[in-house]
Amino acid sequence: MAGKVFFSVTMSLDGFMAPEPMPVEDVFSPQGQSDPRVQHWMAKWSRLQAWIFPQRFFRENLKLGEGGEEGTDNDIARATYERTGVSIMGKRMFDAGELAWPDDAPFHTPVFVLTHTGREPWERPGGTTFHFVNDGIASALDQARKVAGDRDIRIAGGADTIQQYLDAGLVDEFSLTLAPVLFGTGIRLFDHLDPDGITLTQTRTAASSRVTHLTYTVGER
Amino acid sequence: MAGKVFFSVTMSLDGFMAPEPMPVEDVFSPQGQSDPRVQHWMAKWSRLQAWIFPQRFFRENLKLGEGGEEGTDNDIARATYERTGVSIMGKRMFDAGELAWPDDAPFHTPVFVLTHTGREPWERPGGTTFHFVNDGIASALDQARKVAGDRDIRIAGGADTIQQYLDAGLVDEFSLTLAPVLFGTGIRLFDHLDPDGITLTQTRTAASSRVTHLTYTVGER
């Protein structure tokens, strides 16, 4: 079935999808690189995402060069990208990405950014166009459905945006890549939710030597 | 290698291994059964543990009757039991179990209970003997090693006891059965730890239609 609404994130074994909040300008500034807080943040982030960096698909998509690993992790990273006809993300994720992504942003589809400020669509080389939505998550999803074609709609993040869609009953399924790391502190994936309203069914599990990929469907409310 | 120190627990997708703390006498009292707080507690616990109740091994070990499911979940439950030469548990878990287990307690090995009060060993039918240890987790582990024979040492729980052993670098490996439920609140498995001191390697993943069983080894400090 095309047109599914899903998210796909990497989660630590203790339930975090990112280190503690950190101003993006600190992370990406030249001074930031020598700030111990930023170094600690980057170390945690790198341990969490360690599975993706060596993958052939990741290297291709971010134009990091030839080669890379192939196998379960690579197949899943590629399949997640290929099923995605449009992404929806929060403003914080966009702000970080605006500093981190190459000019040729790694989506190659329309992307809807949830924000409170107006901005004209921003077209990037390679087919990514960012649209800025001011009237809420349901409106962003409606707009996303119109351009998804026969592909699916990815709630890209961050945690707060995923939680809003999940709590509103608007997510059909999700995938977690469970990384063998403990964060202790950070941004939890499953937080600020009414768990009694969410019924899950485990549908697929695939493990590599590094991580385990788990997929769940979300029941009707 | 025999004599490994391990724990094996069921965890919700958001990282909880039990509902919020509840006085055990409330849960097991006749009045408790009609208390909405207790009913909510039992409903959460039952959703988390739903995978184990129908298993043939579980039914046999608790003398619940013939039959039951066989397959991955049953094999793993049985193997966890069979590798265990001795268990170590906290006082709260013992107190709850004292009310919940049948006379023929489901361990059939020595069990060391961490407590601050003295008590003579308590021998149960079927081979379970509870020993009460007053001088800390390292002493309990030393005593456990002496009686484990060629089998392994299970840190049975609760969360606080597991965390103490994990944080002290005394756990060799652990298994999580990841259940497709969200708790929102409760007792977290990975809490009160220094995560930077814990290095994990994913060693095995096995999924049934209900849950995913994940095994990790804990690196040397």
Side-chain angles (χ1 to χ4, degrees):
Chain A
M1 183 185 90
K4 275 189 194 163
V5 180
F6 78 103
F7 65 86
S8 178
V9 299
T10 302
M11 185 173 84
S12 72
L13 211 49
D14 53 351
F16 296 95
M17 64 172 271
E20 36 285 299
M22 172 81 66
V24 289
E25 55 277 15
D26 287 2
V27 176
F28 293 105
S29 73
Q31 307 91 296
Q33 306 305 309
S34 56
D35 179 337
R37 288 177 318 122
V38 172
Q39 288 169 351
H40 188 248
W41 193 99
M42 288 301 296
K44 283 177 84 163
W45 178 253
S46 299
R47 285 197 300 139
L48 185 68
Q49 302 290 343
W51 71 277
I52 190 89
F53 301 136
Q55 301 308 319
R56 182 182 182 95
F57 166 74
F58 179 82
R59 296 180 54 79
E60 279 175 10
N61 195 34
L62 281 175
K63 302 196 188 307
L64 301 179
E66 295 288 306
E69 286 185 18
E70 296 183 57
T72 298
D73 292 339
N74 191 58
D75 292 347
I76 286 175
R78 188 181 299 276
T80 301
Y81 170 80
E82 288 179 350
R83 70 182 285 195
T84 303
V86 54
S87 290
I88 298 175
M89 69 179 61
K91 180 64 161 43
R92 263 186 59 84
M93 180 172 173
F94 171 77
D95 288 344
E98 196 175 4
L99 295 170
W101 296 317
D103 278 351
D104 182 350
F107 300 94
H108 314 293
T109 67
V111 176
F112 290 88
V113 180
L114 300 161
T115 173
H116 296 292
T117 53
R119 178 167 165 182
E120 288 301 303
W122 188 43
E123 203 171 318
R124 308 304 298 144
T128 302
T129 301
F130 294 97
H131 302 271
F132 300 87
V133 180
N134 306 136
D135 53 353
I137 64 169
S139 169
L141 183 54
D142 287 342
Q143 295 177 59
R145 283 192 200 281
K146 290 188 182 120
V147 298
D150 58 1
R151 290 188 289 169
D152 294 325
I153 299 153
R154 180 176 184 173
I155 312 300
D160 179 59
T161 299
I162 290 171
Q163 288 156 14
Q164 287 183 54
Y165 277 98
L166 194 53
D167 218 31
L170 296 173
V171 173
D172 297 312
E173 67 169 50
F174 60 85
S175 294
L176 306 179
T177 297
L178 198 62
V181 301
L182 297 176
F183 264 23
T185 57
I187 299 173
R188 290 190 188 282
L189 171 58
F190 297 110
D191 212 353
H192 315 114
L193 294 167
D194 170 18
D196 289 340
I198 301 171
T199 306
L200 305 177
T201 304
Q202 174 184 293
T203 46
R204 286 190 302 282
T205 298
S208 71
S209 63
R210 301 174 186 273
V211 290
T212 298
H213 306 274
L214 301 141
T215 302
Y216 300 88
T217 54
V218 185
E220 299 286 323
R221 307 217 140 197
Chain B
M1 184 186 89
K4 275 189 195 165
V5 180
F6 79 102
F7 65 85
S8 177
V9 299
T10 302
M11 186 173 84
S12 73
L13 211 48
D14 53 352
F16 297 94
M17 65 171 272
E20 35 285 298
M22 171 83 65
V24 288
E25 55 277 16
D26 288 3
V27 176
F28 293 104
S29 73
Q31 307 90 298
Q33 307 303 310
S34 55
D35 180 337
R37 287 178 319 123
V38 172
Q39 289 170 351
H40 188 248
W41 192 99
M42 289 301 296
K44 283 177 83 164
W45 179 253
S46 300
R47 284 198 298 140
L48 184 68
Q49 301 291 343
W51 71 277
I52 190 87
F53 300 136
Q55 301 308 319
R56 183 181 182 97
F57 167 74
F58 179 83
R59 297 180 53 78
E60 279 173 12
N61 195 35
L62 281 174
K63 302 196 188 305
L64 300 179
E66 298 286 308
E69 285 185 19
E70 296 183 56
T72 298
D73 293 338
N74 192 58
D75 292 347
I76 285 174
R78 188 182 298 276
T80 301
Y81 171 80
E82 289 180 349
R83 70 182 286 194
T84 303
V86 55
S87 290
I88 298 175
M89 69 180 60
K91 181 63 162 46
R92 264 187 59 85
M93 180 172 173
F94 172 77
D95 288 346
E98 197 175 4
L99 296 169
W101 296 317
D103 278 351
D104 182 349
F107 300 95
H108 315 293
T109 67
V111 176
F112 290 87
V113 180
L114 300 162
T115 173
H116 296 291
T117 54
R119 178 167 166 182
E120 290 300 303
W122 188 43
E123 204 171 317
R124 307 305 297 144
T128 302
T129 301
F130 294 97
H131 301 272
F132 300 87
V133 179
N134 306 136
D135 52 353
I137 64 169
S139 170
L141 183 54
D142 286 343
Q143 295 177 57
R145 282 192 201 282
K146 290 188 181 118
V147 298
D150 59 0
R151 288 188 289 169
D152 294 326
I153 298 154
R154 180 175 184 174
I155 311 300
D160 180 57
T161 300
I162 290 172
Q163 289 156 12
Q164 287 182 53
Y165 278 98
L166 194 53
D167 217 31
L170 296 173
V171 174
D172 297 313
E173 66 168 50
F174 61 84
S175 295
L176 306 179
T177 297
L178 198 63
V181 302
L182 296 176
F183 264 22
T185 57
I187 299 174
R188 289 190 190 281
L189 171 58
F190 297 110
D191 212 354
H192 315 114
L193 294 168
D194 170 18
D196 289 340
I198 301 171
T199 307
L200 305 177
T201 305
Q202 174 183 292
T203 47
R204 287 189 301 283
T205 299
S208 72
S209 63
R210 301 174 186 274
V211 289
T212 298
H213 306 276
L214 301 142
T215 302
Y216 300 88
T217 55
V218 185
E220 298 287 323
R221 306 214 141 198

